């Protein structure tokens, strides 16, 4: 395998000049830079990514900022990121923002201070200091949700379509008062899942009412309160679409307290195929998102952007699939 010294010898320059030329430094004479690039091409020289980052005083480390480390969806994303990064010599530092813009901003500041090579983040939905990454030239990729007001590489799932399919499934099963428990207003995934739910009701000319929708934090506690409120109405829902698995824990707790049995008294579909979804009684119908693949795709995009930060931003949209189990059948 050719080395930087081989390129320097072929081009008739020093190894320092080769390094500066291949890293696009403006201090290198254009003719010399052209000669270096030609020599590198002729020899088939490929710079070592982590080593090059270290020479630029950047660590061979990427930061992963996720919304909720307790949510299996995000831990599966983290595994996908780590597997791809590890293959090429990068380490991954995991940061948990807890859906807090303040914590997210703090972790971005730390990533800059520690000179990480790149950042993958699940945006909190609030204004962030991600512009600092762009200003410094640090590569970054968004997962699960796009960055508000920023052009960046992003890996998404078409959750609006998935929510529409899940709601259509409940309609097909004969449920008439279908409710939705989703996340906060302004969070892209929460908005999309509510929109997909409404799309399905509209397409089926089904009864739709704000009384059957509750928005709360993406946590079990909020979903628990929302479900108790929904089920206390004079005409409570006979089925529920729940926006993630953490919320579903709260929904199941509320139904248990009210002695309402999923799959018998109320239909239930949850986003995300958590490891316990098949183990509850009855097993949960879920919208399975390709979380590991999201992480792996984001890591590959980040590595490509570390190598060339001038590339145009791309959006990768993956699909989800409905897994039917007993909780959604009358």
């Amino acid at each position: 395998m050719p080395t930087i010294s081989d390129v320097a010898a072929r081009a008739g320059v020093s190894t320092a000049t080769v390094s500066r030329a291949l890293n696009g430094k403006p201090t290198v004479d254009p003719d010399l830079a052209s000669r270096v690039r030609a020599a590198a091409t002729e020899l088939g020289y490929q710079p070592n990514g982590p080593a090059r980052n270290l020479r630029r005083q950047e660590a061979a480390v990427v930061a992963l900022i996720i919304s909720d480390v307790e949510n299996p969806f995000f831990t599966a994303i983290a595994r996908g990121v780590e597997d791809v990064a590890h293959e090429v010599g990068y380490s991954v530092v995991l940061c948990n923002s807890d859906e807090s813009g303040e914590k997210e901003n703090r972790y971005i500041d730390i990533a800059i201070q520690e000179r990480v090579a790149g950042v993958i983040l699940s945006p909190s939905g609030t204004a962030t200091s991600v512009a600092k990454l762009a200003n410094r030239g640090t590569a970054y990729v968004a997962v699960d949700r796009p960055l508000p007001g920023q052009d960046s590489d992003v890996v998404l799932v078409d959750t609006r379509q998935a929510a529409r399919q899940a709601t259509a499934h409940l309609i097909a099963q004969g449920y008439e008062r279908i409710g939705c428990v989703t996340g906060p207003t302004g969070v892209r995934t929460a908005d999309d899942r509510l929109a997909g739910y409404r799309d399905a009701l509209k397409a089926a000319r089904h009864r739709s009412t704000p009384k059957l929708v509750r928005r709360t934090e993406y946590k079990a506690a909020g979903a628990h309160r929302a479900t108790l409120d929904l089920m206390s109405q004079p005409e409570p829902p006979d089925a529920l679409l729940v926006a993630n698995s953490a919320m579903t824990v709260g929904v199941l707790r509320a139904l248990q307290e009210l002695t309402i049995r999923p799959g018998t008294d109320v239909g239930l579909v949850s986003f995300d195929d958590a490891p316990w979804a098949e183990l509850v009684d009855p097993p949960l119908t879920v919208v399975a998102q390709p979380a590991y693949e999201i992480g792996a795709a984001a890591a590959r995009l980040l590595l490509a952007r570390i190598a060339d930060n001038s590339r145009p931003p791309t959006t990768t949209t993956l699909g989800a699939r409905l897994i039917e189990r007993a909780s959604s059948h009358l």
Side-chain angles (χ1 to χ4, degrees):
M1 180 179 293
T3 66
I4 192 170
S5 297
D6 297 328
V7 176
R10 173 68 67 93
V13 298
S14 69
T15 55
T17 299
V18 172
S19 178
R20 290 196 301 272
L22 294 181
N23 281 297
K25 300 295 184 183
T27 54
V28 181
D29 179 83
D31 290 337
L32 281 181
S34 178
R35 206 159 76 210
V36 167
R37 287 193 295 270
T41 300
E42 291 166 9
L43 292 170
Y45 172 71
Q46 293 292 329
N48 179 277
R52 182 178 57 196
N53 289 334
L54 290 170
R55 284 193 295 273
R56 292 167 58 195
Q57 293 186 316
E58 290 179 350
V61 172
V62 297
L64 172 61
I65 306 173
I66 58 174
S67 302
D68 184 2
V69 73
E70 293 181 338
N71 186 334
F73 171 73
F74 288 110
T75 52
I77 286 177
R79 184 55 191 260
V81 170
E82 200 275 339
D83 282 354
V84 171
H86 178 74
E87 287 179 0
V88 293
Y90 282 85
S91 299
V92 179
V93 174
L94 181 63
C95 309
N96 179 45
S97 73
D98 256 338
E99 298 282 3
S100 164
E102 182 182 352
K103 286 184 71 175
E104 181 181 291
N105 286 333
R106 190 184 318 135
Y107 282 129
I108 288 173
D109 288 341
I110 291 170
I112 291 170
Q113 291 164 15
E114 296 299 322
R115 297 182 178 273
V116 301
V119 176
I120 297 173
L121 75 158
S122 169
S124 64
T126 61
T128 74
S129 58
V130 73
K132 297 178 185 177
L133 297 173
N135 292 339
R136 184 181 177 273
T138 301
Y140 58 93
V141 174
V143 293
D144 190 42
R145 312 161 189 172
L147 282 160
Q150 294 282 335
D151 287 330
S152 72
D153 292 316
V154 59
V155 184
L156 306 171
V157 174
D158 189 352
T159 58
R160 180 169 183 164
Q161 177 62 18
R164 177 173 180 157
Q165 291 173 348
T167 307
H169 164 71
L170 289 169
I171 293 170
Q173 294 303 307
Y175 293 103
E176 297 180 351
R177 297 185 310 281
I178 301 168
C180 179
V181 181
T182 190
T185 301
V187 175
R188 171 69 176 269
T189 50
D191 292 345
D192 281 355
R193 289 166 201 185
L194 180 58
Y197 157 84
R198 287 173 170 158
D199 290 344
L201 295 180
K202 183 177 179 181
R205 296 183 179 178
H206 212 267
R207 181 182 179 184
S208 175
T209 169
K211 293 181 179 179
L212 298 180
V213 174
R214 293 294 182 275
R215 305 196 70 148
T216 184
E217 69 268 24
Y218 265 140
K219 300 282 186 180
H224 176 262
R225 293 190 300 270
T227 305
L228 291 176
D229 184 40
L230 276 171
M231 304 310 292
S232 68
Q233 295 184 108
E235 291 188 59
D238 61 1
L240 291 171
L241 174 67
V242 187
N244 78 2
S245 61
M247 299 178 92
T248 301
V249 171
V251 171
L252 291 172
R253 185 178 298 128
L255 294 178
Q256 183 182 53
E257 292 171 5
L258 296 169
T259 65
I260 296 172
R261 181 171 169 78
T264 301
D265 304 316
V266 63
L268 189 60
V269 178
S270 169
F271 266 78
D272 301 326
D273 193 16
W276 47 262
E278 284 188 279
L279 305 178
V280 297
D281 183 23
L284 281 178
T285 296
V286 297
V287 175
Q289 299 188 90
Y292 179 90
E293 290 77 8
I294 293 171
R300 286 191 287 268
L301 282 171
L302 185 69
L303 293 172
R305 188 152 293 284
I306 289 169
D308 179 8
N309 211 358
S310 65
R311 297 166 50 254
T314 62
T315 297
T316 302
T317 304
L318 305 178
R321 62 191 179 96
L322 183 70
I323 302 177
E324 297 183 25
R325 299 185 182 123
S327 71
S328 63
H329 292 272
L330 282 170

